[in-house]
Amino acid sequence: MPDTLLSRFLRYVQIDTQSDARSDTTPSSPGQWDLLRLLETELRALGAADIHLDAFGYLTASVPATSDKDLPTVAFLAHVDTADFPGANVKPLLHPAWDGQPIRLPDDPAQVLDPALYPDLRTAVGKDVVTASGRTLLGADDKAGVAVVMTLVDYLLAHPEVKHGPLRVCFNPDEEIGRGVEKLDLRALGADVAYTLDGEYPGEVNWETFSGDSAVVTIEGVSTHPGWAKPQGMVNALHLAAKLLAVLEAERAGPEYSAGRQGFIHATNLEGNTARAVLRFILRDFDLDGLAAKGARLTQLCTGLQAAEPRARIQLEIKPTYRNMGEWLKQDMRPVDLALEAMRATGLETKIIPVRGGTDGSRLTERGLPTPNLFDGGHNWHGPLEWVAVQDMELAVQACLALIRLWEERGGDYPRSFSRQ
Ligand SMILES: [Zn+2]
């Protein structure tokens, strides 16, 4: 039986590729190698060119150009790892032509996919829906993307009559722990524009993400014997940390008060004792001015705390994490405009959703490779109720084909950032 989008997807999700933030290797977990090596073998069987699996688990391959025009190189990426939820022994369940009735997952009957609670499911009535069985995630994030890219390669190699420029594909590890593309060699990839397949809704294109900084506040108090705390001038670092947090809470600065395009200051960790407390924050905003304002507010609070208690020593360090890809894409919107046109050409209503987080594309765009994100059809990510409809993944393949055709028609004068080096 020939391989299909569905048979690929079912095969990939059964490989445990959960990434591990505590590991400092790349990939962070051995299971990711299992999927990467399988994909390497499958790319070879399909007849892809330049197949290369590097020491950090970046698997790249080419689909050579079929057009005789001079065109930029377009890349498609998907990540092989899955999120921080059990990913071993995934038993994917197919619900063919789903009738719209709630789906109770057999291994944990408390897990129910009910369209009354998850309205996105209503778009899947009549489609072939895949779920997990209750105790694990499904791994559609991002094995739906992996299956879409592999099916795209299969189709293009079997249909040389489809005119296109040079294409690259890349499967990368460790997106879920924020290290997805740190070690990716962009010269070796050699693409001028790229797309990640890691979004949800058919028609979705993401070209804006948060910009993020991290901040660490270190408070050194004065520790004494508690019996002599008053004469010896104890300054309790824990109380100073609590004051800082209380102001931020009163200002509703945290993510639990923010939605849409609003940013936040999120306290992620507090460790300490009387002598010393360390508070960790992440700062997020879509606009760099807004992000800077959040850093400035934290600075102001630390300065105020220091002035109120001169015997303490308060230090604040802010470091950039990632930047909104929109800062770069706005300078040349063709990668986004062609993606939106490809969605319409596929018969889909476009959905532009700013991502309240970072994507692999945020870092790639910042490093000089413009990389918007496209849908792959998965929903309810990172938990047991993840699902995907086969027909939605098929739409993602069609949208990528439309996009490839558009780049062939109109991409000739797009700047070559990496393909000519
Ligand atoms: Zn993902």
Side-chain angles (χ1 to χ4, degrees):
M1 272 236 306
D3 228 352
T4 62
L5 184 49
L6 176 62
S7 62
R8 289 188 176 102
F9 179 72
L10 297 177
R11 187 162 63 239
Y12 304 156
V13 297
Q14 291 178 69
I15 300 171
D16 177 9
T17 58
Q18 185 178 348
S19 45
D20 179 1
R22 292 161 306 174
S23 156
D24 49 21
T25 63
T26 308
S28 65
S29 57
Q32 295 184 64
W33 282 118
D34 297 341
L35 177 53
L36 288 161
R37 291 200 184 101
L38 173 69
L39 294 170
E40 182 187 22
T41 308
E42 291 184 16
L43 283 166
R44 233 172 267 293
L46 291 175
D50 314 322
I51 299 163
H52 183 65
L53 177 57
D54 78 10
F56 298 115
Y58 294 98
L59 173 60
T60 51
S62 302
V63 178
T66 52
S67 169
D68 43 25
K69 291 186 198 169
D70 177 23
L71 291 164
T73 300
V74 181
F76 293 91
L77 288 88
H79 65 90
V80 297
D81 66 316
T82 59
D84 189 18
F85 191 85
N89 304 313
V90 172
K91 287 185 271 170
L93 302 175
L94 178 65
H95 311 268
W98 177 54
D99 59 6
Q101 292 307 304
I103 301 170
R104 196 169 289 278
L105 300 181
D107 293 342
D108 180 359
Q111 304 291 350
V112 182
L113 272 162
D114 184 345
L117 295 173
Y118 302 97
D120 294 340
L121 271 169
R122 293 191 195 122
T123 64
V125 177
K127 295 179 184 173
D128 303 320
V129 172
V130 186
T131 67
S133 61
R135 299 247 175 240
T136 68
L137 49 61
L138 174 61
D141 178 10
D142 188 25
K143 286 160 185 172
V146 174
V148 165
V149 173
M150 289 298 287
T151 304
L152 183 67
V153 170
D154 184 3
Y155 183 88
L156 289 167
L157 290 169
H159 293 84
E161 72 279 9
V162 177
K163 293 284 170 244
H164 59 81
L167 301 176
R168 296 280 281 159
V169 297
C170 175
F171 300 102
N172 65 278
D174 293 337
E175 189 269 353
E176 299 291 359
I177 55 171
R179 303 185 211 148
V181 292
E182 288 313 302
K183 293 179 179 160
L184 176 59
D185 181 343
L186 294 188
R187 281 164 198 269
L189 181 64
D192 305 304
V193 59
Y195 296 92
T196 48
L197 273 291
D198 200 12
E200 286 180 73
Y201 306 98
E204 179 177 347
V205 175
N206 315 109
W207 67 274
E208 279 208 279
T209 55
F210 269 149
S211 285
D213 285 347
S214 64
V216 181
V217 177
T218 308
I219 303 173
E220 312 254 14
V222 178
S223 180
T224 69
H225 187 291
W228 306 103
K230 190 172 179 182
Q232 291 184 354
M234 177 190 280
V235 177
N236 191 335
L238 295 174
H239 287 299
L240 295 178
K243 274 188 191 169
L244 185 61
L245 291 176
V247 176
L248 289 169
E249 173 64 6
E251 292 180 356
R252 300 163 80 86
E256 59 272 51
Y257 302 111
S258 100
R261 290 191 64 87
Q262 295 169 320
F264 54 75
I265 301 175
H266 176 37
T268 57
N269 190 274
L270 166 60
E271 265 177 75
N273 51 33
T274 308
R276 188 169 188 270
V278 180
L279 280 149
R280 289 175 199 279
F281 297 91
I282 59 170
L283 281 51
R284 298 287 185 265
D285 206 285
F286 285 100
D287 298 315
L288 288 177
D289 289 349
L291 186 66
K294 289 177 173 60
R297 182 61 185 139
L298 211 49
T299 306
Q300 201 178 32
L301 290 174
C302 289
T303 309
L305 206 59
Q306 179 71 81
E309 183 46 272
R311 293 172 299 167
R313 264 194 20 184
I314 298 168
Q315 282 177 309
L316 167 65
E317 191 184 12
I318 298 178
K319 281 188 186 163
T321 313
Y322 57 81
R323 289 295 176 256
N324 183 349
M325 62 167 86
E327 301 285 338
W328 290 271
L329 287 167
K330 267 184 248 172
Q331 294 161 25
D332 186 340
M333 284 292 277
R334 270 179 288 178
V336 178
D337 291 339
L338 293 185
L340 292 171
E341 198 170 330
M343 296 302 162
R344 290 189 287 266
T346 311
L348 294 166
E349 197 179 309
T350 57
K351 291 185 185 64
I352 300 175
I353 303 175
V355 179
R356 291 179 60 81
T359 66
D360 280 340
S362 310
R363 284 292 294 136
L364 290 173
T365 305
E366 193 176 350
R367 287 173 64 194
L369 178 62
T371 310
N373 183 43
L374 311 177
F375 79 94
D376 61 33
H379 292 272
N380 290 355
W381 289 340
H382 299 191
L385 295 179
E386 219 183 344
W387 63 272
V388 66
V390 178
Q391 286 81 356
D392 291 349
M393 291 195 283
E394 273 161 8
L395 285 170
V397 177
Q398 294 308 317
C400 290
L401 283 171
L403 184 54
I404 286 165
R405 287 194 187 95
L406 287 168
W407 275 104
E408 198 274 338
E409 283 167 23
R410 298 202 221 135
D413 61 344
Y414 190 77
R416 313 295 201 263
S417 29
F418 291 101
S419 66
R420 282 182 185 154
Q421 284 170 357

